[in-house]
Amino acid sequence: MKPLSLKTFLKRPNLIKLGTCIILLIWFWFSLPQPIFKTPYSSLLFDKNNELLAAQIAPDGQWRFPASDSIPYKYEQALLHFEDQYFYYHPGVNPIAIGRALVQNITANHIVSGGSTITQQLIRMSRNGKQRNLYQKLIEFILSIRLELSYSKKEILNLYASHAPFGGNVVGLETASWRYYGRTSSKLSWGETATLAVLPNSPSLIYPGKNHEILLAKRNRLLNKLAKNDIIDDLTCELAKAEGLPQKPKALPQLAPNLLTRAINDGQQGKSIKTSIDIHIQKSTNRIIKQHYERLRENQIQNAAALIIEVKTGKALAYVGNTPGVDIHSGHQVDLITSNRSSGSILKPFLYSLMIKESQVLPHSLLPDIPTQISGYAPKNFNKKYDGAVKASDALARSLNIPAVLMLQKYGVDKFRNKLRELGFTSINRSADNYGLSLILGGAEVNLWDLGSAYASLSRMLQFYTEGSSEYSPDLYFPASYKSSFTYTIKNKSFNDLMGAAPVYHTFDALKEMNRPVDGVNWNLYKSSRKIAWKTGTSFGHRDAWSVGITPQYVVAVWVGNADGEGRPGLIGGATAAPILFDIFKSLPSSTWFEKPYDDMVKIAVCKKSGYKASFNCSEIDSLDVAISGERTEVCPYCKQINLDKTGQYRVNANCYRVNDMIQKSYMILPPAMEWYYQRKNPLYQSQPPFLEGCMSSDNESIDIIYPKNNARLFIPKNFGGILERTVFQAAHSTASSTIYWHIDNKYIGSTKGVHKKEVVTGLGKHTLTLIDDKGVLITRNFEVLLSEK
């Protein structure tokens, strides 16, 4: 068969008609734009029970909530009785209504009725800006029919309710419900619902004045019609008509503006975002932050943030990213939950737990707390004091810096940095060499989100271990989530863990101590019946104050400071962040405490004096439950057996005393520098007796130089006379009655007894300090004196 030519085709009218029909059908089918509306929407944040937390206006300046998937029964009935009673029966247009409107308009000689169906009104709204003429009316007529072929009646109603104008920049039923009545449309009364049903017909009637009288009349006619059609009873009708009309629009809730901004940045703009937030906990936390802000800003501290995480699920229950305020110069718009800030001491518990897990310390092991200098780095305790020796658990609870630095030096900066990365600290991304030992004292930057997530993971792991079959799972370590749909599942189980149940339990147990001797802070105010493991931190320069609290149910993390990094006197974790932390915990339901992970623990003999695993030299021993790794820790290095004369008052040795007359006694013997500080804090500490006259010490560790350290560089200023200022050198001796003879560059400069401090004047350059005690024990230190510019 020959193909049909165009000339032949044009000579056949039936084919032309058929082609024309096909073209028109194709046009008709594809005439409906997709989507119907291309307008931007407001971004909405809801709590876990669909309560509105915050909202952001649409980019075009309209308050337009995202389209809903349903409308309340009350509004549907009110709308249909006012706009389109035959909505469920016509195909998009209603010829009867059009005819009736035409007759009414001709009779009145002006337009008194439109005759448009809800479907036609919806099409008109979607084609915003089109002229009102017969041609456009015909297009709307066709598109209305086409719309009914692709959308259900319910969907059309939802689209209409979501895009109808309600006066000013208020668009959509749900938006109007919140703006005019301060609640969702499903909770409106019949009077309120009827008001919103008639408003899109004349949106300007919402403005006060004479317009309100017209709006009131329209609403009441609709209520009478609903009563006449038995949708509501007469009493309900009268009560509804007695209700007043809304006045100026209400402000939308802004309970979690920083979280809304974060969700928008996560790609949720223009959407209804359901979160895991509990609106009641959020409101309570907002109130607590605001109360403390009133006090903090008196000291020009402008910002604070708080995060509450439910441990079991890892979901955020409250997200307060900043203090309330509109001053852009005070940084109130900054989300300080995700902002990286100097960590201060807040990472110390992780190091403590890792040291226990890897058999490097026991909870009560004594750690050095003396002036320390490591390759030019000289850490100081916050209170500028030293204990000489301190239990590891006490060092953690009191947040002492020197023991923490010495622990990190022993554990390894690179290894600790990698463990923190495994725990989820995304901001710790520089090399270990870049951080150095300052990593444990604020050399790294962290944020509240990662911090709270990591502590929640530890709490979750510990509970999983004790409540289950003493197993671990790597699936328990995950970042927190603010999304309501977030769930985690246990896919893998193992017999090893990143941190270990017992080490984490020991860590939390050390952190639950409430009465901590921190200067200027009355910790007794925060005592309560509940147990909370908590830690504070303060960054260098008083720029950041941290506090984190952990229970089996909740983790609360708090930051206080200035968003621009300005430091302030008194901006320390204990004085500013901790009070907020405890007020938040008071507002939360009561918590339990962690069960002891006995399957990850073993009972061992521990030296009562030193806290180390007991050796045969230890005279006082406790039997304690410690992590299984504690079996591999070193034995007590401090308790030693010493030989005394038969009176027990003097030390002796085989060179000066008969062996048969000696008696042996165990002493805890700390190195001289540790002992010097320790015995001033511990009056019951028993130093070694002196040597019997004629007996020489064979112990070269009986003397130590506290300051200066070996190869130290001392920057010393000149006085007004142009002479270098004096410098105080300090030493320690294990025998209190010993005399120390001081020499600089082999020149004798004096002696000390009891308290070994010496004022020294030296010239610029390199020098050697030599100390000799009365038993002939000698120690030397090299140092260099440089001129200070100050």
Side-chain angles (χ1 to χ4, degrees), residues 53-74:
L53 292 169
Q56 187 179 97
I57 198 167
D60 63 352
Q62 302 293 306
W63 281 110
R64 184 188 298 107
F65 286 14
S68 60
D69 55 3
S70 63
I71 60 174
Y73 168 78
K74 289 180 183 178

mmCIF file with all atom_site columns, all heavy atoms in Angstrom, residues 53-74:
data_model
loop_
_atom_site.group_PDB
_atom_site.id
_atom_site.type_symbol
_atom_site.label_atom_id
_atom_site.label_alt_id
_atom_site.label_comp_id
_atom_site.label_asym_id
_atom_site.label_entity_id
_atom_site.label_seq_id
_atom_site.pdbx_PDB_ins_code
_atom_site.Cartn_x
_atom_site.Cartn_y
_atom_site.Cartn_z
_atom_site.occupancy
_atom_site.B_iso_or_equiv
_atom_site.pdbx_formal_charge
_atom_site.auth_seq_id
_atom_site.auth_comp_id
_atom_site.auth_asym_id
_atom_site.auth_atom_id
_atom_site.pdbx_PDB_model_num
ATOM 1   N N   . LEU A 1 53 ? 7.161   23.650 66.041 1.00 0.00 ? 53 LEU A N   1
ATOM 2   C CA  . LEU A 1 53 ? 8.285   24.185 66.807 1.00 0.00 ? 53 LEU A CA  1
ATOM 3   C C   . LEU A 1 53 ? 8.791   25.506 66.243 1.00 0.00 ? 53 LEU A C   1
ATOM 4   O O   . LEU A 1 53 ? 9.147   26.413 66.990 1.00 0.00 ? 53 LEU A O   1
ATOM 5   C CB  . LEU A 1 53 ? 9.450   23.181 66.817 1.00 0.00 ? 53 LEU A CB  1
ATOM 6   C CG  . LEU A 1 53 ? 9.253   21.880 67.587 1.00 0.00 ? 53 LEU A CG  1
ATOM 7   C CD1 . LEU A 1 53 ? 10.384  20.917 67.257 1.00 0.00 ? 53 LEU A CD1 1
ATOM 8   C CD2 . LEU A 1 53 ? 9.218   22.160 69.083 1.00 0.00 ? 53 LEU A CD2 1
ATOM 9   N N   . ALA A 1 54 ? 8.859   25.606 64.922 1.00 0.00 ? 54 ALA A N   1
ATOM 10  C CA  . ALA A 1 54 ? 9.412   26.801 64.294 1.00 0.00 ? 54 ALA A CA  1
ATOM 11  C C   . ALA A 1 54 ? 8.999   26.841 62.832 1.00 0.00 ? 54 ALA A C   1
ATOM 12  O O   . ALA A 1 54 ? 8.625   25.814 62.256 1.00 0.00 ? 54 ALA A O   1
ATOM 13  C CB  . ALA A 1 54 ? 10.940  26.828 64.418 1.00 0.00 ? 54 ALA A CB  1
ATOM 14  N N   . ALA A 1 55 ? 9.057   28.031 62.254 1.00 0.00 ? 55 ALA A N   1
ATOM 15  C CA  . ALA A 1 55 ? 8.698   28.195 60.843 1.00 0.00 ? 55 ALA A CA  1
ATOM 16  C C   . ALA A 1 55 ? 9.540   29.302 60.234 1.00 0.00 ? 55 ALA A C   1
ATOM 17  O O   . ALA A 1 55 ? 9.944   30.241 60.921 1.00 0.00 ? 55 ALA A O   1
ATOM 18  C CB  . ALA A 1 55 ? 7.211   28.529 60.703 1.00 0.00 ? 55 ALA A CB  1
ATOM 19  N N   . GLN A 1 56 ? 9.801   29.165 58.939 1.00 0.00 ? 56 GLN A N   1
ATOM 20  C CA  . GLN A 1 56 ? 10.529  30.196 58.185 1.00 0.00 ? 56 GLN A CA  1
ATOM 21  C C   . GLN A 1 56 ? 9.716   30.557 56.952 1.00 0.00 ? 56 GLN A C   1
ATOM 22  O O   . GLN A 1 56 ? 9.235   29.676 56.237 1.00 0.00 ? 56 GLN A O   1
ATOM 23  C CB  . GLN A 1 56 ? 11.914  29.692 57.787 1.00 0.00 ? 56 GLN A CB  1
ATOM 24  C CG  . GLN A 1 56 ? 12.789  30.773 57.150 1.00 0.00 ? 56 GLN A CG  1
ATOM 25  C CD  . GLN A 1 56 ? 14.166  30.267 56.790 1.00 0.00 ? 56 GLN A CD  1
ATOM 26  O OE1 . GLN A 1 56 ? 14.411  29.892 55.654 1.00 0.00 ? 56 GLN A OE1 1
ATOM 27  N NE2 . GLN A 1 56 ? 15.067  30.225 57.762 1.00 0.00 ? 56 GLN A NE2 1
ATOM 28  N N   . ILE A 1 57 ? 9.565   31.862 56.713 1.00 0.00 ? 57 ILE A N   1
ATOM 29  C CA  . ILE A 1 57 ? 8.742   32.339 55.613 1.00 0.00 ? 57 ILE A CA  1
ATOM 30  C C   . ILE A 1 57 ? 9.295   31.854 54.275 1.00 0.00 ? 57 ILE A C   1
ATOM 31  O O   . ILE A 1 57 ? 10.498  31.611 54.135 1.00 0.00 ? 57 ILE A O   1
ATOM 32  C CB  . ILE A 1 57 ? 8.662   33.882 55.652 1.00 0.00 ? 57 ILE A CB  1
ATOM 33  C CG1 . ILE A 1 57 ? 7.483   34.391 54.829 1.00 0.00 ? 57 ILE A CG1 1
ATOM 34  C CG2 . ILE A 1 57 ? 9.985   34.508 55.214 1.00 0.00 ? 57 ILE A CG2 1
ATOM 35  C CD1 . ILE A 1 57 ? 7.170   35.850 55.071 1.00 0.00 ? 57 ILE A CD1 1
ATOM 36  N N   . ALA A 1 58 ? 8.411   31.668 53.289 1.00 0.00 ? 58 ALA A N   1
ATOM 37  C CA  . ALA A 1 58 ? 8.826   31.207 51.960 1.00 0.00 ? 58 ALA A CA  1
ATOM 38  C C   . ALA A 1 58 ? 9.703   32.264 51.292 1.00 0.00 ? 58 ALA A C   1
ATOM 39  O O   . ALA A 1 58 ? 9.613   33.456 51.612 1.00 0.00 ? 58 ALA A O   1
ATOM 40  C CB  . ALA A 1 58 ? 7.607   30.910 51.100 1.00 0.00 ? 58 ALA A CB  1
ATOM 41  N N   . PRO A 1 59 ? 10.554  31.860 50.361 1.00 0.00 ? 59 PRO A N   1
ATOM 42  C CA  . PRO A 1 59 ? 11.456  32.818 49.684 1.00 0.00 ? 59 PRO A CA  1
ATOM 43  C C   . PRO A 1 59 ? 10.732  33.974 49.014 1.00 0.00 ? 59 PRO A C   1
ATOM 44  O O   . PRO A 1 59 ? 11.333  35.040 48.825 1.00 0.00 ? 59 PRO A O   1
ATOM 45  C CB  . PRO A 1 59 ? 12.181  31.936 48.660 1.00 0.00 ? 59 PRO A CB  1
ATOM 46  C CG  . PRO A 1 59 ? 12.163  30.567 49.251 1.00 0.00 ? 59 PRO A CG  1
ATOM 47  C CD  . PRO A 1 59 ? 10.854  30.466 49.958 1.00 0.00 ? 59 PRO A CD  1
ATOM 48  N N   . ASP A 1 60 ? 9.450   33.812 48.621 1.00 0.00 ? 60 ASP A N   1
ATOM 49  C CA  . ASP A 1 60 ? 8.725   34.905 47.958 1.00 0.00 ? 60 ASP A CA  1
ATOM 50  C C   . ASP A 1 60 ? 8.020   35.827 48.954 1.00 0.00 ? 60 ASP A C   1
ATOM 51  O O   . ASP A 1 60 ? 7.204   36.670 48.559 1.00 0.00 ? 60 ASP A O   1
ATOM 52  C CB  . ASP A 1 60 ? 7.718   34.345 46.956 1.00 0.00 ? 60 ASP A CB  1
ATOM 53  C CG  . ASP A 1 60 ? 6.628   33.497 47.616 1.00 0.00 ? 60 ASP A CG  1
ATOM 54  O OD1 . ASP A 1 60 ? 6.744   33.228 48.831 1.00 0.00 ? 60 ASP A OD1 1
ATOM 55  O OD2 . ASP A 1 60 ? 5.681   33.106 46.916 1.00 0.00 ? 60 ASP A OD2 1
ATOM 56  N N   . GLY A 1 61 ? 8.323   35.667 50.249 1.00 0.00 ? 61 GLY A N   1
ATOM 57  C CA  . GLY A 1 61 ? 7.756   36.549 51.259 1.00 0.00 ? 61 GLY A CA  1
ATOM 58  C C   . GLY A 1 61 ? 6.367   36.185 51.720 1.00 0.00 ? 61 GLY A C   1
ATOM 59  O O   . GLY A 1 61 ? 5.720   36.954 52.438 1.00 0.00 ? 61 GLY A O   1
ATOM 60  N N   . GLN A 1 62 ? 5.876   35.005 51.348 1.00 0.00 ? 62 GLN A N   1
ATOM 61  C CA  . GLN A 1 62 ? 4.546   34.561 51.752 1.00 0.00 ? 62 GLN A CA  1
ATOM 62  C C   . GLN A 1 62 ? 4.659   33.496 52.847 1.00 0.00 ? 62 GLN A C   1
ATOM 63  O O   . GLN A 1 62 ? 5.560   32.654 52.828 1.00 0.00 ? 62 GLN A O   1
ATOM 64  C CB  . GLN A 1 62 ? 3.797   33.960 50.549 1.00 0.00 ? 62 GLN A CB  1
ATOM 65  C CG  . GLN A 1 62 ? 3.629   34.913 49.373 1.00 0.00 ? 62 GLN A CG  1
ATOM 66  C CD  . GLN A 1 62 ? 2.713   36.077 49.695 1.00 0.00 ? 62 GLN A CD  1
ATOM 67  O OE1 . GLN A 1 62 ? 1.586   35.897 50.127 1.00 0.00 ? 62 GLN A OE1 1
ATOM 68  N NE2 . GLN A 1 62 ? 3.206   37.294 49.486 1.00 0.00 ? 62 GLN A NE2 1
ATOM 69  N N   . TRP A 1 63 ? 3.721   33.579 53.779 1.00 0.00 ? 63 TRP A N   1
ATOM 70  C CA  . TRP A 1 63 ? 3.593   32.469 54.727 1.00 0.00 ? 63 TRP A CA  1
ATOM 71  C C   . TRP A 1 63 ? 2.701   31.426 54.069 1.00 0.00 ? 63 TRP A C   1
ATOM 72  O O   . TRP A 1 63 ? 1.490   31.572 54.027 1.00 0.00 ? 63 TRP A O   1
ATOM 73  C CB  . TRP A 1 63 ? 2.989   32.953 56.054 1.00 0.00 ? 63 TRP A CB  1
ATOM 74  C CG  . TRP A 1 63 ? 3.978   33.648 56.932 1.00 0.00 ? 63 TRP A CG  1
ATOM 75  C CD1 . TRP A 1 63 ? 4.019   34.963 57.242 1.00 0.00 ? 63 TRP A CD1 1
ATOM 76  C CD2 . TRP A 1 63 ? 5.072   33.041 57.609 1.00 0.00 ? 63 TRP A CD2 1
ATOM 77  N NE1 . TRP A 1 63 ? 5.073   35.233 58.074 1.00 0.00 ? 63 TRP A NE1 1
ATOM 78  C CE2 . TRP A 1 63 ? 5.741   34.068 58.328 1.00 0.00 ? 63 TRP A CE2 1
ATOM 79  C CE3 . TRP A 1 63 ? 5.565   31.742 57.700 1.00 0.00 ? 63 TRP A CE3 1
ATOM 80  C CZ2 . TRP A 1 63 ? 6.869   33.834 59.109 1.00 0.00 ? 63 TRP A CZ2 1
ATOM 81  C CZ3 . TRP A 1 63 ? 6.695   31.495 58.472 1.00 0.00 ? 63 TRP A CZ3 1
ATOM 82  C CH2 . TRP A 1 63 ? 7.331   32.526 59.171 1.00 0.00 ? 63 TRP A CH2 1
ATOM 83  N N   . ARG A 1 64 ? 3.332   30.403 53.526 1.00 0.00 ? 64 ARG A N   1
ATOM 84  C CA  . ARG A 1 64 ? 2.607   29.371 52.785 1.00 0.00 ? 64 ARG A CA  1
ATOM 85  C C   . ARG A 1 64 ? 3.123   28.004 53.245 1.00 0.00 ? 64 ARG A C   1
ATOM 86  O O   . ARG A 1 64 ? 4.214   27.575 52.886 1.00 0.00 ? 64 ARG A O   1
ATOM 87  C CB  . ARG A 1 64 ? 2.829   29.545 51.279 1.00 0.00 ? 64 ARG A CB  1
ATOM 88  C CG  . ARG A 1 64 ? 2.033   28.577 50.412 1.00 0.00 ? 64 ARG A CG  1
ATOM 89  C CD  . ARG A 1 64 ? 2.441   28.683 48.948 1.00 0.00 ? 64 ARG A CD  1
ATOM 90  N NE  . ARG A 1 64 ? 2.184   30.007 48.367 1.00 0.00 ? 64 ARG A NE  1
ATOM 91  C CZ  . ARG A 1 64 ? 3.165   30.880 48.083 1.00 0.00 ? 64 ARG A CZ  1
ATOM 92  N NH1 . ARG A 1 64 ? 4.426   30.578 48.312 1.00 0.00 ? 64 ARG A NH1 1
ATOM 93  N NH2 . ARG A 1 64 ? 2.871   32.055 47.551 1.00 0.00 ? 64 ARG A NH2 1
ATOM 94  N N   . PHE A 1 65 ? 2.325   27.337 54.078 1.00 0.00 ? 65 PHE A N   1
ATOM 95  C CA  . PHE A 1 65 ? 2.741   26.028 54.580 1.00 0.00 ? 65 PHE A CA  1
ATOM 96  C C   . PHE A 1 65 ? 2.718   25.003 53.452 1.00 0.00 ? 65 PHE A C   1
ATOM 97  O O   . PHE A 1 65 ? 1.903   25.116 52.527 1.00 0.00 ? 65 PHE A O   1
ATOM 98  C CB  . PHE A 1 65 ? 1.825   25.567 55.710 1.00 0.00 ? 65 PHE A CB  1
ATOM 99  C CG  . PHE A 1 65 ? 2.052   26.284 57.018 1.00 0.00 ? 65 PHE A CG  1
ATOM 100 C CD1 . PHE A 1 65 ? 2.807   27.451 57.079 1.00 0.00 ? 65 PHE A CD1 1
ATOM 101 C CD2 . PHE A 1 65 ? 1.517   25.772 58.193 1.00 0.00 ? 65 PHE A CD2 1
ATOM 102 C CE1 . PHE A 1 65 ? 3.021   28.103 58.283 1.00 0.00 ? 65 PHE A CE1 1
ATOM 103 C CE2 . PHE A 1 65 ? 1.721   26.419 59.406 1.00 0.00 ? 65 PHE A CE2 1
ATOM 104 C CZ  . PHE A 1 65 ? 2.467   27.595 59.456 1.00 0.00 ? 65 PHE A CZ  1
ATOM 105 N N   . PRO A 1 66 ? 3.590   24.001 53.502 1.00 0.00 ? 66 PRO A N   1
ATOM 106 C CA  . PRO A 1 66 ? 3.547   22.930 52.490 1.00 0.00 ? 66 PRO A CA  1
ATOM 107 C C   . PRO A 1 66 ? 2.172   22.282 52.437 1.00 0.00 ? 66 PRO A C   1
ATOM 108 O O   . PRO A 1 66 ? 1.455   22.211 53.446 1.00 0.00 ? 66 PRO A O   1
ATOM 109 C CB  . PRO A 1 66 ? 4.605   21.934 52.983 1.00 0.00 ? 66 PRO A CB  1
ATOM 110 C CG  . PRO A 1 66 ? 5.558   22.767 53.781 1.00 0.00 ? 66 PRO A CG  1
ATOM 111 C CD  . PRO A 1 66 ? 4.709   23.808 54.445 1.00 0.00 ? 66 PRO A CD  1
ATOM 112 N N   . ALA A 1 67 ? 1.808   21.835 51.239 1.00 0.00 ? 67 ALA A N   1
ATOM 113 C CA  . ALA A 1 67 ? 0.472   21.251 51.033 1.00 0.00 ? 67 ALA A CA  1
ATOM 114 C C   . ALA A 1 67 ? 0.246   20.084 51.968 1.00 0.00 ? 67 ALA A C   1
ATOM 115 O O   . ALA A 1 67 ? 1.109   19.213 52.130 1.00 0.00 ? 67 ALA A O   1
ATOM 116 C CB  . ALA A 1 67 ? 0.326   20.810 49.576 1.00 0.00 ? 67 ALA A CB  1
ATOM 117 N N   . SER A 1 68 ? -0.967  20.065 52.561 1.00 0.00 ? 68 SER A N   1
ATOM 118 C CA  . SER A 1 68 ? -1.302  18.974 53.477 1.00 0.00 ? 68 SER A CA  1
ATOM 119 C C   . SER A 1 68 ? -1.920  17.817 52.704 1.00 0.00 ? 68 SER A C   1
ATOM 120 O O   . SER A 1 68 ? -2.317  17.951 51.543 1.00 0.00 ? 68 SER A O   1
ATOM 121 C CB  . SER A 1 68 ? -2.299  19.475 54.528 1.00 0.00 ? 68 SER A CB  1
ATOM 122 O OG  . SER A 1 68 ? -3.484  19.929 53.901 1.00 0.00 ? 68 SER A OG  1
ATOM 123 N N   . ASP A 1 69 ? -1.971  16.667 53.335 1.00 0.00 ? 69 ASP A N   1
ATOM 124 C CA  . ASP A 1 69 ? -2.545  15.487 52.672 1.00 0.00 ? 69 ASP A CA  1
ATOM 125 C C   . ASP A 1 69 ? -3.991  15.246 53.097 1.00 0.00 ? 69 ASP A C   1
ATOM 126 O O   . ASP A 1 69 ? -4.630  14.293 52.662 1.00 0.00 ? 69 ASP A O   1
ATOM 127 C CB  . ASP A 1 69 ? -1.701  14.246 52.959 1.00 0.00 ? 69 ASP A CB  1
ATOM 128 C CG  . ASP A 1 69 ? -1.524  14.001 54.447 1.00 0.00 ? 69 ASP A CG  1
ATOM 129 O OD1 . ASP A 1 69 ? -2.106  14.752 55.252 1.00 0.00 ? 69 ASP A OD1 1
ATOM 130 O OD2 . ASP A 1 69 ? -0.774  13.068 54.812 1.00 0.00 ? 69 ASP A OD2 1
ATOM 131 N N   . SER A 1 70 ? -4.510  16.115 53.954 1.00 0.00 ? 70 SER A N   1
ATOM 132 C CA  . SER A 1 70 ? -5.913  15.984 54.369 1.00 0.00 ? 70 SER A CA  1
ATOM 133 C C   . SER A 1 70 ? -6.361  17.292 55.006 1.00 0.00 ? 70 SER A C   1
ATOM 134 O O   . SER A 1 70 ? -5.529  18.125 55.387 1.00 0.00 ? 70 SER A O   1
ATOM 135 C CB  . SER A 1 70 ? -6.090  14.831 55.368 1.00 0.00 ? 70 SER A CB  1
ATOM 136 O OG  . SER A 1 70 ? -5.361  15.100 56.561 1.00 0.00 ? 70 SER A OG  1
ATOM 137 N N   . ILE A 1 71 ? -7.672  17.476 55.088 1.00 0.00 ? 71 ILE A N   1
ATOM 138 C CA  . ILE A 1 71 ? -8.208  18.647 55.776 1.00 0.00 ? 71 ILE A CA  1
ATOM 139 C C   . ILE A 1 71 ? -9.217  18.174 56.807 1.00 0.00 ? 71 ILE A C   1
ATOM 140 O O   . ILE A 1 71 ? -9.821  17.109 56.676 1.00 0.00 ? 71 ILE A O   1
ATOM 141 C CB  . ILE A 1 71 ? -8.871  19.635 54.791 1.00 0.00 ? 71 ILE A CB  1
ATOM 142 C CG1 . ILE A 1 71 ? -10.036 18.966 54.052 1.00 0.00 ? 71 ILE A CG1 1
ATOM 143 C CG2 . ILE A 1 71 ? -7.849  20.196 53.822 1.00 0.00 ? 71 ILE A CG2 1
ATOM 144 C CD1 . ILE A 1 71 ? -10.810 19.946 53.182 1.00 0.00 ? 71 ILE A CD1 1
ATOM 145 N N   . PRO A 1 72 ? -9.426  18.949 57.882 1.00 0.00 ? 72 PRO A N   1
ATOM 146 C CA  . PRO A 1 72 ? -10.358 18.535 58.931 1.00 0.00 ? 72 PRO A CA  1
ATOM 147 C C   . PRO A 1 72 ? -11.800 18.450 58.413 1.00 0.00 ? 72 PRO A C   1
ATOM 148 O O   . PRO A 1 72 ? -12.188 19.159 57.476 1.00 0.00 ? 72 PRO A O   1
ATOM 149 C CB  . PRO A 1 72 ? -10.213 19.634 59.989 1.00 0.00 ? 72 PRO A CB  1
ATOM 150 C CG  . PRO A 1 72 ? -8.903  20.307 59.695 1.00 0.00 ? 72 PRO A CG  1
ATOM 151 C CD  . PRO A 1 72 ? -8.718  20.200 58.223 1.00 0.00 ? 72 PRO A CD  1
ATOM 152 N N   . TYR A 1 73 ? -12.569 17.614 59.043 1.00 0.00 ? 73 TYR A N   1
ATOM 153 C CA  . TYR A 1 73 ? -13.986 17.433 58.677 1.00 0.00 ? 73 TYR A CA  1
ATOM 154 C C   . TYR A 1 73 ? -14.747 18.752 58.775 1.00 0.00 ? 73 TYR A C   1
ATOM 155 O O   . TYR A 1 73 ? -15.545 19.094 57.887 1.00 0.00 ? 73 TYR A O   1
ATOM 156 C CB  . TYR A 1 73 ? -14.617 16.392 59.601 1.00 0.00 ? 73 TYR A CB  1
ATOM 157 C CG  . TYR A 1 73 ? -16.126 16.332 59.505 1.00 0.00 ? 73 TYR A CG  1
ATOM 158 C CD1 . TYR A 1 73 ? -16.752 15.677 58.447 1.00 0.00 ? 73 TYR A CD1 1
ATOM 159 C CD2 . TYR A 1 73 ? -16.926 16.940 60.477 1.00 0.00 ? 73 TYR A CD2 1
ATOM 160 C CE1 . TYR A 1 73 ? -18.141 15.632 58.356 1.00 0.00 ? 73 TYR A CE1 1
ATOM 161 C CE2 . TYR A 1 73 ? -18.307 16.896 60.400 1.00 0.00 ? 73 TYR A CE2 1
ATOM 162 C CZ  . TYR A 1 73 ? -18.920 16.241 59.337 1.00 0.00 ? 73 TYR A CZ  1
ATOM 163 O OH  . TYR A 1 73 ? -20.285 16.188 59.252 1.00 0.00 ? 73 TYR A OH  1
ATOM 164 N N   . LYS A 1 74 ? -14.508 19.510 59.828 1.00 0.00 ? 74 LYS A N   1
ATOM 165 C CA  . LYS A 1 74 ? -15.233 20.762 60.025 1.00 0.00 ? 74 LYS A CA  1
ATOM 166 C C   . LYS A 1 74 ? -14.999 21.710 58.849 1.00 0.00 ? 74 LYS A C   1
ATOM 167 O O   . LYS A 1 74 ? -15.945 22.313 58.315 1.00 0.00 ? 74 LYS A O   1
ATOM 168 C CB  . LYS A 1 74 ? -14.781 21.446 61.327 1.00 0.00 ? 74 LYS A CB  1
ATOM 169 C CG  . LYS A 1 74 ? -15.233 20.761 62.597 1.00 0.00 ? 74 LYS A CG  1
ATOM 170 C CD  . LYS A 1 74 ? -14.727 21.540 63.811 1.00 0.00 ? 74 LYS A CD  1
ATOM 171 C CE  . LYS A 1 74 ? -15.100 20.834 65.105 1.00 0.00 ? 74 LYS A CE  1
ATOM 172 N NZ  . LYS A 1 74 ? -14.560 21.562 66.289 1.00 0.00 ? 74 LYS A NZ  1
#
